[in-house]
């Protein structure tokens, strides 16, 4: 559920809302189509869930379309995803053909919308070939990469590049992800919706209910990582860190994840996690429904420390969510986590399970510092990573791309 724009005034101030309304007037009636590969699960779906209603509320004609795909298509796109994040993968020419064919089938279904749209935003590699299929396009097309593409496996990037070069612009979450492409590239960081079920304030009763439901001990510190079960999120590394701390402190660990339609590797990773956690009643591995946002919210609020020990990360909305709840975050020293976690300020960046264990112990022993860091963490998100800033940057970019050549750029 997304609130109306005015509801955010108390959090970001009236001037920000006015600026957005002003931008909305400039873009009134603009047809925008976003395309990604899953309606639920993962950060992109989380963002599109609030962004479409708010764009419509501002006067744009925004839509969100999702690719249909069979298991084989998603196995290939997951391999492309892994390759772009630097993991050596072997994708056969048949695999690339299946990828293109699935996009061609989706294109026929979406053709009228895509041909007519003023702006099309294609999220991540899965729907990237749609552009080359749309020979009769009217609007501007933007490729929005959400993943950590700073060190791609070269053969994967080389093969994907031919689907991406023709876009009018691309957007990345970090300047380190910029690629050798012949069009303008923009830096727009993701954001969270502070009023959504995932991030709104929760009452004590709801927190206690969640604590009881999962058998968590109120008297022992709790460390929480919320993530899809994905190798790059390093859940097994989190268990290693927990075990190192556990030798000296009686902590509890929650690893909560869920599936995403476009992530067929989740089951194998979950099995690995369950094996690593076996026999320890204080490691709670939770497989939650993808729309159980209030439970995720409650677990992040019950945590003493939020952890996101990724080894690759485009941005890491789970980091933003933890920071917004006033928790210092221990995050992997990679990708978009670096723009959110500032050592000794909003949390700690780590590279190994040993490093994570060291920082968990440090935070557990410095309660006052932990609380102070939590206060700074929330303010850091308010200033940088709330949806209003994100919307403003998108709308400004749309306006710039749609402005006729020679016309002055519109500044807010
Ligand atoms: N998430 C969720 N349930 C889960 C696991 C994750 O709702 O079981 C949410 C999480 O709260 C966050 C998003 O999925 O909003 C994950 O976004 P992130 O950018 O951290 O990672 P991604 O999955 O996109 O790589």
């Amino acid at each position: 559920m997304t609130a109306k724009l005015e509801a955010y005034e108390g959090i970001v101030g009236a001037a920000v809302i006015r600026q957005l309304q002003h931008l909305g007037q400039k873009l009134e009636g603009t047809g925008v189509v976003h395309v990604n590969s899953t309606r639920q699960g993962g950060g992109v779906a989380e963002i599109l869930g609030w962004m479409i209603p708010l764009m419509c509320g501002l006067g744009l004609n925004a839509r969100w379309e999702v690719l249909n795909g069979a298991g084989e298509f998603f196995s290939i796109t997951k391999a492309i995803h892994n390759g772009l994040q630097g993991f050596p993968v072997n994708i056969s020419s048949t695999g690339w053909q299946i990828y293109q064919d699935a996009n061609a089938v989706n294109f026929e279904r979406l053709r009228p919308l895509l041909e007519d749209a003023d702006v099309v935003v294609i999220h991540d590699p899965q729907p990237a070939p749609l552009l080359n299929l749309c020979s009769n396009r009217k609007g501007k097309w933007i490729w929005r990469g959400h993943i950590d593409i700073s060190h791609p496996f070269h053969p994967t990037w080389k093969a994907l590049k031919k689907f991406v070069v023709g876009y009018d612009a691309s957007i990345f979450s970090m300047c380190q992800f910029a690629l050798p492409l012949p069009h303008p590239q923009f830096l727009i960081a993701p954001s969270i919706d502070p009023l959504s079920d995932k991030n709104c304030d929760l009452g004590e009763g709801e927190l206690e209910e969640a604590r009881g439901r999962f058998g968590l001990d109120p008297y022992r510190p709790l460390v929480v990582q919320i993530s899809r079960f994905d190798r790059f999120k390093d859940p097994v590394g989190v268990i290693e860190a927990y075990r190192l701390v556990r030798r000296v402190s009686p902590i509890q660990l929650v690893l909560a994840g869920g599936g995403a339609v476009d992530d067929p590797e989740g089951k194998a990773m979950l099995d690995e996690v369950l094996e690593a956690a076996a026999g320890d009643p204080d490691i709670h591995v939770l497989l939650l429904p993808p729309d159980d946002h209030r439970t995720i919210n409650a677990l992040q609020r019950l945590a003493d420390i939020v952890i996101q020990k990724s080894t690759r990360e485009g941005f890491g909305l789970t980091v933003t969510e933890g920071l917004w709840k006033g928790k210092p975050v221990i995050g992997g020293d990679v990708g978009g986590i670096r723009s959110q976690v500032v050592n000794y300020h909003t949390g700690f960046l780590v590279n190994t399970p040993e490093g994570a264990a060291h920082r968990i112990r440090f935070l557990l022993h410095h309660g006052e510092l932990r609380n102070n860091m939590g206060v700074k963490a929330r303010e850091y998100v308010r200033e940088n990573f709330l949806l209003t800033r994100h919307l403003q940057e998108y709308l400004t970019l749309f306006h710039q791309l749609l402005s006729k050549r020679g016309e002055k750029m519109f500044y807010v």
Side-chain angles (χ1 to χ4, degrees), residues 236-253:
V236 174
V238 176
I239 293 177
E240 280 174 47
Y242 157 87
R243 288 200 197 284
L244 289 169
V245 178
R246 187 58 207 251
R247 287 186 198 158
V248 287
S249 295
I251 61 165
Q252 312 166 82
L253 173 67

Side-chain angles (χ1 to χ4, degrees), residues 41-44 46 81 198 226-228 230 233 256-259 286 288-293 296 300 308 313 315-319 321:
V44 181
E46 184 81 18
H81 172 105
K198 178 72 60 65
I226 308 288
S227 272
R228 287 180 297 106
D230 177 308
K233 309 285 185 185
L286 310 177
L288 299 172
D291 58 351
D292 200 354
H293 302 303
I296 300 283
Q300 288 165 330
Q308 187 57 58
E313 192 64 75
F315 184 68
L317 280 186
T318 52
V319 173
E321 290 160 6

Side-chain angles (χ1 to χ4, degrees), residues 381-399:
V381 172
R382 191 193 307 276
E383 282 165 23
N384 298 290
F385 302 122
L386 292 184
L387 81 188
T388 38
R389 187 269 314 150
H390 196 175
L391 257 181
Q392 188 187 40
E393 290 179 349
Y394 258 105
L395 298 188
T396 307
L397 175 57
F398 294 171
H399 190 275

Side-chain angles (χ1 to χ4, degrees), residues 84-370:
L84 293 178
Q85 297 218 121
F87 194 77
V89 287
N90 185 9
I91 303 166
S92 65
S93 51
T94 316
W96 285 105
Q97 194 56 51
I98 291 168
Y99 170 63
Q100 289 184 70
D101 291 347
N103 269 280
V105 172
N106 278 281
F107 178 69
E108 286 313 320
R109 180 172 58 87
L110 301 173
R111 180 194 283 271
L113 273 178
L114 296 176
E115 284 181 346
D116 276 2
D118 299 302
V119 179
V120 176
V121 188
I122 296 291
H123 294 264
D124 279 334
Q126 297 91 335
L130 289 175
L131 172 72
N132 290 350
L133 294 159
C134 192
S135 51
N136 202 19
R137 70 175 164 123
K138 167 182 143 201
K140 300 289 182 187
W141 283 54
I142 303 168
W143 186 60
R144 203 309 176 207
H146 289 270
I147 57 185
D148 182 344
I149 201 169
S150 52
H151 300 95
F153 178 56
H154 192 63
T156 310
W157 169 239
K158 196 173 160 216
L160 184 78
K161 190 175 172 183
K162 64 174 183 284
F163 301 112
V164 175
V165 284
Y167 281 78
D168 297 297
S170 47
I171 305 176
F172 298 100
S173 303
M174 301 272 290
C175 52
Q176 287 83 349
F177 302 163
L179 292 161
L181 286 167
H183 55 239
Q185 297 176 59
F186 295 87
L187 170 64
I188 300 185
S191 64
I192 57 162
D193 176 353
L195 298 180
S196 67
D197 281 348
K198 178 72 60 65
N199 297 305
C200 64
D201 291 340
L202 297 179
E204 219 27 63
E206 194 164 347
L207 297 185
E208 287 315 314
E209 185 281 323
R211 200 198 300 273
R213 187 161 22 119
F214 299 116
L216 302 172
D217 180 349
Y219 302 107
R220 282 184 295 146
L222 177 64
V223 175
V224 170
Q225 173 159 305
I226 308 288
S227 272
R228 287 180 297 106
F229 292 102
D230 177 308
R231 80 178 92 219
F232 294 114
K233 309 285 185 185
D234 198 16
V236 174
V238 176
I239 293 177
E240 280 174 47
Y242 157 87
R243 288 200 197 284
L244 289 169
V245 178
R246 187 58 207 251
R247 287 186 198 158
V248 287
S249 295
I251 61 165
Q252 312 166 82
L253 173 67
V254 164
L255 287 171
V261 181
D262 61 348
D263 182 3
E265 289 179 357
K267 170 75 176 68
M269 193 68 232
L270 174 63
D271 290 345
E272 229 178 280
V273 168
L274 289 172
E275 198 183 320
D280 190 330
D282 287 323
I283 303 179
H284 302 263
V285 180
L286 310 177
L287 197 57
L288 299 172
D291 58 351
D292 200 354
H293 302 303
R294 291 186 85 92
T295 298
I296 300 283
N297 186 344
L299 289 168
Q300 288 165 330
R301 286 178 191 282
L302 289 170
D304 295 280
I305 298 167
V306 166
I307 187 162
Q308 187 57 58
K309 216 202 91 37
S310 305
T311 56
R312 288 281 189 282
E313 192 64 75
F315 184 68
L317 280 186
T318 52
V319 173
T320 333
E321 290 160 6
L323 296 173
W324 180 246
K325 282 145 198 153
K327 312 293 168 174
V329 174
I330 295 175
D333 187 5
V334 291
I337 297 179
R338 288 180 176 153
S339 61
Q340 304 189 69
V341 173
V342 182
N343 280 331
Y344 287 97
H345 187 70
T346 63
F348 290 105
L349 291 168
V350 297
N351 290 290
T352 58
E354 291 75 14
H358 174 69
R359 291 312 188 183
I360 292 170
R361 281 205 302 267
F362 177 87
L363 284 171
L364 292 180
H365 285 124
H366 296 84
E368 199 180 329
L369 178 72
R370 193 169 77 230

